[in-house]
Amino acid sequence: MDLSPEQQDLPGQRGPHHHEMRERIVRAAEARFRHFGYGKTTVSEIAADLGVSSAYIYKFFGSKIAICEAVCASLLGRIDEALWAEARSPRTAAERLRRTYRLLLEHSLAMFFNDRRLHDMVITGLDQRWASISRHVEVMEEVARFLVQEGRASGEFERKSPLDEVAKAVASTFSPFCHPVLLEHGIDDDPGAKAEAVATIVLRGLSA
Amino acid sequence: MDLSPEQQDLPGQRGPHHHEMRERIVRAAEARFRHFGYGKTTVSEIAADLGVSSAYIYKFFGSKIAICEAVCASLLGRIDEALWAEARSPRTAAERLRRTYRLLLEHSLAMFFNDRRLHDMVITGLDQRWASISRHVEVMEEVARFLVQEGRASGEFERKSPLDEVAKAVASTFSPFCHPVLLEHGIDDDPGAKAEAVATIVLRGLSA
DNA sequence: GAAGTGACAAACTGCGTTATTCGTCACCGG
DNA sequence: CCGGTGACGAATAACGCAGTTTGTCACTTC
């Protein structure tokens, strides 16, 4: 259900799947990308940081963009983990869902303000429909479904409407708080308050 | 509250505000932009279509981009009008709000499929924060607030939570169905059904 | 056969130059 | 004063070329 990011199979991967070098490459690449951006780092530089030749990198990744996807997967994977951790915490489902909105917003804002270059990479990935990003939106849907189920099981939420439909709708309401492009636009208008307000309405809509 | 699009004042306008030529320019520009895109049309061509010189265009617009903004305002203005028409129709507030989701999605999809070039212009406008676009999101918020008020007045909706907060939250849930970038991404996954589902939850969240 | 490399062709980027296009201004005619 | 223009400098876009970077492959070493 929630693999660790490095275990996913992403397009453009190559060679042994579980290999220490693969992880080291991703970490080195992330550092460079964070600092200089995707365009301004060459794979030779990443290789040099690890003390190997660039040819060796290509034993693990089929292209530079594949490295970028892996970095992206790792980044989003960390958010996914935080999301699941919260979703499984010992609180009411309603409280967990409300916190999901907060958590999502918090992580998205953090990326926007602290690592603008990585944020821009994610935007690139978005309109090129990278698998790592689709995976992340799937996880958000799964978390939404899980929380709705939990709330139904505990009697907090109504049980009549089709689970899947409700889960998708809830996940849709996440987008203003997790989508990089929307975020950039609504950044000035107290997104925190908006997230709370949306959470409040949605929770009311779900309640038994 | 809802001016006709040509009457707004937009940055970069110049010369007489109510002038037949201004509207003719916007119409001619829209046709060219729709057909060839913003980048591939020159202001001389727009001028030629109207049988005037390009210098004359600059009596009305301070820059090419200002023309583009006016076209954008006109485009979005048509959507705004449809939204208001629906919002004032003689139906229950709940029904009107549900139809607002549909209407928004319908218009956005139409632009995406039929006039991709204009759609792309709107995206450009979005990350350059054109006034015409801010205006459109304001209108959507106003419509949301209006409908919530109506529903409260008629006893359909609860009356306790602060109106402004609720209106903003409702407007936030519009974004997956009206934001060009989000739309492009979620296009494959039955957006119509998603819109209905979101409407259902939000309406339940608003209900008395 | 796992770890690793140098040498190389193809693809891509940056950049300086040239050709368009943008936008201004002084000016014409009614 | 309103409707309109041609000629011109400034800003931009297109283009071709040199230099980098990407990505492959045959080969080495342990």
Side-chain angles (χ1 to χ4, degrees):
Chain A
M1 200 164 181
D2 60 307
L3 313 303
S4 121
E6 277 74 28
Q7 288 170 9
Q8 294 177 45
D9 40 85
L10 252 25
Q13 291 206 1
R14 180 183 278 180
H17 265 221
H18 298 280
H19 195 292
E20 189 217 357
M21 185 54 72
R22 185 183 296 283
E23 288 161 41
R24 293 181 60 206
I25 292 169
V26 172
R27 271 196 296 277
E30 182 180 328
R32 285 256 168 205
F33 291 163
R34 164 173 286 124
H35 222 61
F36 306 107
Y38 177 78
K40 298 274 180 216
T41 99
T42 71
V43 347
S44 313
E45 286 166 343
I46 299 170
D49 288 350
L50 298 170
V52 298
S53 71
S54 69
Y56 192 44
I57 302 270
Y58 287 99
K59 296 277 189 233
F60 299 94
F61 294 96
S63 66
K64 186 186 175 186
I65 208 80
I67 302 175
C68 194
E69 259 204 76
V71 169
C72 196
S74 153
L75 239 43
L76 299 180
R78 268 172 261 164
I79 299 182
D80 294 346
E81 275 167 39
L83 248 28
W84 275 121
E86 174 56 49
R88 293 205 259 255
S89 72
R91 282 184 258 260
T92 63
E95 185 55 23
R96 281 177 274 166
L97 184 53
R98 181 179 288 280
R99 279 162 180 262
T100 298
Y101 285 92
R102 278 182 210 150
L103 205 55
L104 227 33
L105 180 61
E106 194 181 294
H107 277 272
S108 307
L109 288 176
M111 177 135 75
F112 179 75
F113 285 118
N114 306 333
D115 302 300
R116 188 72 65 100
R117 295 221 168 72
L118 297 180
H119 170 92
D120 292 344
M121 271 175 37
V122 175
I123 293 184
T124 307
L126 250 162
D127 49 44
Q128 289 174 19
R129 291 154 180 272
W130 291 353
S132 43
I133 302 216
S134 311
R135 177 77 199 126
H136 178 58
V137 339
E138 274 170 40
V139 168
M140 289 190 297
E141 272 176 34
E142 281 164 23
V143 168
R145 178 160 40 245
F146 175 76
L147 287 177
V148 173
Q149 258 172 330
E150 291 269 297
R152 288 179 172 200
S154 74
E156 291 168 70
F157 297 163
E158 59 90 20
R159 249 167 274 205
K160 278 167 220 150
S161 20
L163 175 64
D164 238 58
E165 191 188 296
V166 174
K168 276 189 192 234
V170 172
S172 292
T173 66
F174 289 162
S175 40
F177 314 111
C178 67
H179 193 293
V181 176
L182 281 213
L183 212 63
E184 240 167 296
H185 199 256
I187 212 101
D188 14 69
D189 202 28
D190 196 352
K194 241 191 264 179
E196 296 296 331
V198 170
T200 303
I201 287 204
V202 170
L203 282 172
R204 212 165 171 274
L206 292 171
S207 68
Chain B
M1 202 164 180
D2 60 308
L3 312 303
S4 122
E6 276 75 27
Q7 287 169 9
Q8 293 177 48
D9 39 67
L10 250 27
Q13 292 205 5
R14 180 183 279 179
H17 265 222
H18 298 279
H19 196 293
E20 190 214 359
M21 184 54 71
R22 186 184 296 283
E23 287 163 41
R24 293 182 61 206
I25 293 169
V26 171
R27 272 197 295 277
E30 182 180 326
R32 284 260 167 200
F33 290 162
R34 165 174 285 124
H35 222 60
F36 306 107
Y38 176 78
K40 297 274 180 217
T41 98
T42 71
V43 346
S44 315
E45 287 166 343
I46 298 171
D49 289 350
L50 298 170
V52 298
S53 71
S54 69
Y56 192 45
I57 302 272
Y58 286 99
K59 296 278 190 230
F60 299 93
F61 295 96
S63 66
K64 185 186 176 187
I65 207 81
I67 303 175
C68 194
E69 260 204 75
V71 169
C72 197
S74 154
L75 240 44
L76 298 180
R78 271 172 257 165
I79 299 182
D80 293 346
E81 276 168 38
L83 247 29
W84 274 120
E86 174 56 47
R88 293 205 259 255
S89 72
R91 282 184 258 261
T92 63
E95 184 56 22
R96 281 177 274 165
L97 184 53
R98 182 179 287 282
R99 279 162 181 262
T100 299
Y101 284 92
R102 276 183 211 147
L103 204 56
L104 227 33
L105 181 61
E106 194 182 293
H107 277 272
S108 307
L109 288 177
M111 175 136 75
F112 180 76
F113 285 119
N114 307 333
D115 302 303
R116 189 72 65 100
R117 294 223 170 70
L118 297 179
H119 171 93
D120 291 345
M121 270 176 38
V122 176
I123 293 184
T124 307
L126 249 162
D127 48 47
Q128 286 173 24
R129 290 153 180 273
W130 291 353
S132 43
I133 302 217
S134 311
R135 177 78 200 125
H136 178 58
V137 338
E138 272 169 41
V139 169
M140 290 191 297
E141 272 177 34
E142 281 165 22
V143 168
R145 177 160 42 245
F146 175 75
L147 288 177
V148 172
Q149 258 172 329
E150 291 270 297
R152 288 179 172 200
S154 74
E156 293 168 70
F157 298 162
E158 60 90 17
R159 250 169 273 205
K160 278 168 221 152
S161 19
L163 175 65
D164 237 60
E165 191 188 298
V166 173
K168 275 187 192 234
V170 172
S172 292
T173 67
F174 289 162
S175 41
F177 313 113
C178 66
H179 194 293
V181 176
L182 280 211
L183 212 64
E184 240 169 295
H185 201 254
I187 210 100
D188 13 70
D189 202 26
D190 196 353
K194 242 191 262 177
E196 295 298 331
V198 171
T200 304
I201 287 203
V202 169
L203 282 171
R204 213 167 170 273
L206 290 172
S207 67

